[in-house]
Amino acid sequence: MRPSSPHFVSSLTIAARPAPSAQAGFGKRLQEAFFPTFWSGLATIALSAMLLWLGFRFFGWALPGAVFIPDAAACRALDFQHACWGFIAEKYRLILFGRYPYDEQWRPLIALLVVGGTLVVTALPRFWSRYLLWLWFVALAIFFVLMTGGGPFATIGLSRVDTVQWGGLPLTVLLTLVSMVASIPIGVLLALGRRSTLPVVRTVCTSYIELVRGVPLITVLFMASFVLPLFFPQGVRSDALTRILIGLTLFQAAYLAETLRGGLQAIPRGQYEAAQSLGLGYWRTQALVILPQAFVHVIPALVNNLLSMLMDTSLVTVVSMYDLTGALRLALGDALWRNFFIEGYLFIALIYFAACFTLSRYSRWLERRMQQTSD
């Protein structure tokens, strides 16, 4: 019988061989990641040497011989050969809380702790329920009561503090959270409207999205500060913070709509047909079937939007609002310390990095968890 026949059986006996050795150890993974070829390994060695040299130089500047006490004379004596962390020790409250009254800065501190605690609770799956909305309502109410005070709260020691005095980290957190959360429902409606079969709705939503995405954020902030009040009825006034929040929300909604539209396009047609077969209407289909899946698809992009908004809040300094970056500029206005701006920017860069790195790692974990749940 020919060997090519499917019924051919060989009489040759093959001796048993030992199992192959494991190829997935740490050394193997290290080699595949950093030394897959000769040139890649050479580049890895060169870059590692450069990073070690830079790290050694930075360590020698930042720690040994640095000044950690708020002594301007001692810092000037360093002649910039070592770091002057005394600037941070002297101005950290101004950097973190801006122009908020010095004796009342315990209020924004507690407000930050309340919002931060709520964020931690929200990140834990065991607490995911409809009660989170009430928790956020209470947390934001406490935040505004502590930050504003006045009125009936003056009797318990919370004096009135106008929003023009808000600044630093509390203002950055407020602008980021409120604008991002408020932009979600608007972005959802814009994304659905852009995919609508109604020509008028689709044209209006598309025009808005393209117009806003084609305008720099700094222009939106200027319009919110100086042009938006012209559209208010006569006698109606709003503070600068409210107008800035409106501008940031409308700006972020356009980008969120495009992000969500990408998630909607990834939903198979069968999901719509299955919802229709169950007798669900358009809005119930979107709310119960389509949008939850679309949000899962765009988790990385949503976190990217959040991080962009966190960093873009630094632009509010152009309209005389002092967030974390603007508060640093206030601190650098002191002639005794203005030469130590590198230490100041490193300090706020560390804050931004900690926030962005934490959100990035959480988004990766959440994405994996959602994929496992859907599978």
Side-chain angles (χ1 to χ4, degrees):
M1 186 177 295
R2 294 177 301 175
S4 59
S5 171
H7 302 289
F8 174 77
V9 179
S10 175
S11 59
L12 179 63
T13 302
I14 300 176
R17 291 175 295 181
S21 58
Q23 300 294 325
F26 175 76
K28 184 66 174 179
R29 293 196 301 268
L30 187 66
Q31 178 184 354
E32 292 177 351
F34 298 103
F35 302 94
T37 64
F38 171 79
W39 294 108
S40 296
L42 188 62
T44 298
I45 295 173
L47 290 174
S48 299
M50 183 179 67
L51 290 176
L52 285 174
W53 179 78
L54 290 175
F56 179 78
R57 292 293 301 272
F58 178 79
F59 178 81
W61 172 81
L63 292 180
V67 173
F68 293 91
I69 59 175
D71 187 343
C75 287
R76 287 194 297 270
L78 294 174
D79 195 24
F80 304 105
Q81 298 301 312
H82 299 281
C84 173
W85 301 116
F87 168 67
I88 305 301
E90 175 70 20
K91 300 292 185 180
Y92 76 96
R93 292 182 64 165
L94 179 59
I95 297 173
L96 291 178
F97 304 114
R99 295 182 296 179
Y100 206 90
Y102 189 86
D103 294 335
E104 301 288 333
Q105 288 178 358
W106 60 270
R107 292 161 54 178
L109 176 60
I110 295 178
L112 279 176
L113 293 176
V114 170
V115 172
T118 307
L119 282 173
V120 172
V121 171
T122 305
L124 299 176
R126 69 180 67 179
F127 297 108
W128 290 352
S129 68
R130 62 179 183 273
Y131 297 109
L132 272 179
L133 294 176
W134 293 104
L135 179 62
W136 270 107
F137 178 80
V138 173
L140 290 177
I142 294 174
F143 183 94
F144 280 101
V145 167
L146 287 172
M147 293 293 294
T148 306
F153 305 104
T155 58
I156 58 174
L158 300 179
S159 59
R160 173 75 180 183
V161 179
D162 293 331
T163 56
V164 295
Q165 295 180 277
W166 296 12
L169 188 58
L171 181 61
T172 297
V173 171
L174 175 67
L175 293 174
T176 303
L177 288 181
V178 173
S179 60
M180 191 68 189
V181 173
S183 66
I184 291 177
I186 302 176
V188 169
L189 293 177
L190 288 172
L192 295 177
R194 186 159 188 172
R195 291 169 52 85
S196 174
T197 56
L198 301 176
V200 176
V201 175
R202 185 172 62 251
T203 301
V204 171
C205 293
T206 302
S207 301
Y208 174 84
I209 292 172
E210 297 301 330
L211 176 64
V212 174
R213 293 175 71 239
V215 176
L217 177 57
I218 192 171
T219 304
V220 175
L221 296 176
F222 271 114
M223 293 184 63
S225 297
F226 305 112
V227 179
L228 186 60
L230 301 178
F231 294 92
F232 290 159
Q234 188 174 4
V236 176
R237 302 183 61 182
S238 63
D239 59 13
L241 177 60
T242 302
R243 298 195 299 271
I244 293 301
L245 284 173
I246 293 174
L248 289 175
T249 299
L250 296 178
F251 181 83
Q252 182 63 23
Y255 284 86
L256 183 64
E258 283 298 277
T259 299
L260 188 57
R261 186 168 70 94
L264 292 173
Q265 291 177 340
I267 305 300
R269 182 63 187 173
Q271 297 292 315
Y272 294 89
E273 296 172 352
Q276 292 174 357
S277 67
L278 294 175
L280 298 179
Y282 175 80
W283 291 109
R284 287 178 62 84
T285 298
Q286 297 297 332
L288 301 178
V289 179
I290 305 302
L291 287 176
Q293 298 182 68
F295 274 106
V296 172
H297 285 308
V298 298
I299 286 176
L302 286 176
V303 175
N304 183 62
N305 288 348
L306 177 60
L307 298 181
S308 297
M309 180 54 59
L310 173 63
M311 292 178 285
D312 287 344
T313 54
S314 59
L315 293 176
V316 299
T317 56
V318 301
V319 289
S320 301
M321 297 191 71
Y322 298 97
D323 69 320
L324 192 58
T325 306
L328 173 61
R329 295 177 183 175
L330 289 176
L332 292 172
D334 190 337
L336 291 176
W337 299 99
R338 67 179 54 173
N339 291 329
F340 306 104
F341 58 91
I342 295 178
E343 290 85 346
Y345 280 108
L346 284 175
F347 177 65
I348 65 171
L350 181 62
I351 296 176
Y352 278 115
F353 174 78
C356 294
F357 182 76
T358 302
L359 288 172
S360 177
R361 299 299 299 179
Y362 176 74
S363 70
R364 293 185 61 182
W365 172 84
L366 184 62
E367 184 182 7
R368 291 195 299 268
R369 187 181 189 278
M370 289 298 183
Q371 288 177 350
Q372 294 173 358
T373 303
S374 59
D375 295 340

